[in-house]
Amino acid sequence: MKKIIFTLVLLISACTNIPQVDVLDNIEKSERNKACMDMVRFKVLQVFADGYALAYECNDGELCFNNTVVLLTPQPGIYYYDDMLVNVPEEKCAIQDGVYRYETKNESIKTVPIIQYDYEYEAKNDEEREKRFFETMDNLRFGCKNSMTQDKKINNSKSMKKCDCFIDSFITTYKEMNTKNPSDKEKDKVIENMLKNAEKKCGSIPDYLK
């Protein structure tokens, strides 16, 4: 349920003046996100049909070969290709989101970190928190639909609409909290019912959002 927890955290932080934290609640005010890795550039090694790509970490410039291998996750508007140089987005950093195991040509098993991107520092103001919230919703929508396309059984308009339904429900909850300006106690109640109401309206939650 990590993505759902992240959504709840964003809902709270986007509607209050408390400092924003990451999924693990490990960012303190004015401190760098402790989940950030010292990786800023990658060179694509192999692209998969589902939009993921194996890549080398680059140390300096294009000095990448034989460095740490990672798995890059699909990103909106980014189309990986062989030897492509990929920079970490501005204001963000690379974080590890689990591991990926694959078999090499010589039949050995390799385990590499899965790379996602998160904000390097907390939002400076309410406007920035709101911008981050909607950006995260767009990314979750993209990721949910992309995951659906990888399974022929669920690669259909009904599945895509389910992704939209859940994300739109999260956004509606956010807008309601902003419009009604509820107390902290009322916010807790709204967030507590958010997932329950979304599942009632949209059906079972997509695996990607769990």
Side-chain angles (χ1 to χ4, degrees):
M1 300 294 286
K2 181 169 62 176
K3 293 186 177 70
I4 294 301
I5 294 174
F6 187 37
T7 300
L8 295 176
V9 169
L10 280 173
L11 276 169
I12 295 173
S13 62
C15 296
T16 67
N17 292 320
I18 64 173
Q20 179 165 341
V21 295
D22 71 346
V23 178
L24 301 177
D25 293 334
N26 63 355
I27 301 179
E28 298 179 10
K29 188 175 182 179
S30 300
E31 289 188 354
R32 186 172 186 257
N33 183 345
K34 294 178 182 177
C36 288
M37 306 169 71
D38 294 327
M39 296 182 176
V40 297
R41 204 179 199 195
F42 308 94
K43 187 170 185 178
V44 174
L45 170 64
Q46 179 183 358
V47 181
F48 300 124
D50 57 5
Y52 288 79
L54 287 174
Y56 288 116
E57 174 199 4
C58 299
N59 290 335
D60 296 299
E62 297 185 23
L63 184 60
C64 316
F65 184 69
N66 280 341
N67 283 349
T68 302
V69 175
V70 302
L71 182 71
L72 300 179
T73 51
Q75 302 294 324
I78 302 296
Y79 304 96
Y80 300 125
Y81 55 84
D82 292 346
D83 297 324
M84 176 183 182
L85 291 172
V86 181
N87 294 315
V88 173
E90 186 178 355
E91 297 186 352
K92 293 188 177 183
C93 65
I95 64 170
Q96 182 175 343
D97 185 27
V99 295
Y100 172 72
R101 294 180 177 83
Y102 67 98
E103 185 175 347
T104 65
K105 292 181 179 179
N106 61 7
E107 299 184 346
S108 64
I109 302 298
K110 296 290 185 180
T111 302
V112 300
I114 300 173
I115 297 300
Q116 287 279 8
Y117 303 123
D118 195 6
Y119 292 100
E120 190 169 7
Y121 296 96
E122 67 177 65
K124 300 176 183 177
N125 49 51
D126 291 343
E127 182 179 353
E128 190 171 333
R129 275 189 284 272
E130 181 171 284
K131 179 183 177 181
R132 291 184 179 189
F133 171 79
F134 282 106
E135 179 182 304
T136 300
M137 293 302 101
D138 288 342
N139 289 340
L140 286 177
R141 192 190 303 271
F142 167 80
C144 182
K145 291 184 176 182
N146 182 71
S147 68
M148 295 293 190
T149 63
Q150 309 312 315
D151 188 335
K152 293 181 179 180
K153 294 181 180 179
I154 56 176
N155 184 11
N156 52 55
S157 60
K158 182 179 180 180
S159 295
M160 302 304 166
K161 289 180 180 178
K162 177 178 283 192
C163 291
D164 285 329
C165 185
F166 271 94
I167 301 305
D168 290 342
S169 294
F170 298 155
I171 293 175
T172 297
T173 299
Y174 165 78
K175 289 181 177 179
E176 288 177 352
M177 292 175 71
N178 267 340
T179 301
K180 297 179 180 179
N181 194 25
S183 65
D184 290 342
K185 185 176 181 180
E186 290 172 332
K187 287 177 182 177
D188 290 340
K189 188 65 175 179
V190 170
I191 292 174
E192 180 182 338
N193 293 329
M194 180 188 71
L195 184 56
K196 183 187 301 182
N197 294 335
E199 288 186 308
K200 183 177 181 181
K201 178 181 178 181
C202 310
S204 60
I205 186 168
D207 288 341
Y208 178 83
L209 295 177
K210 292 182 178 179

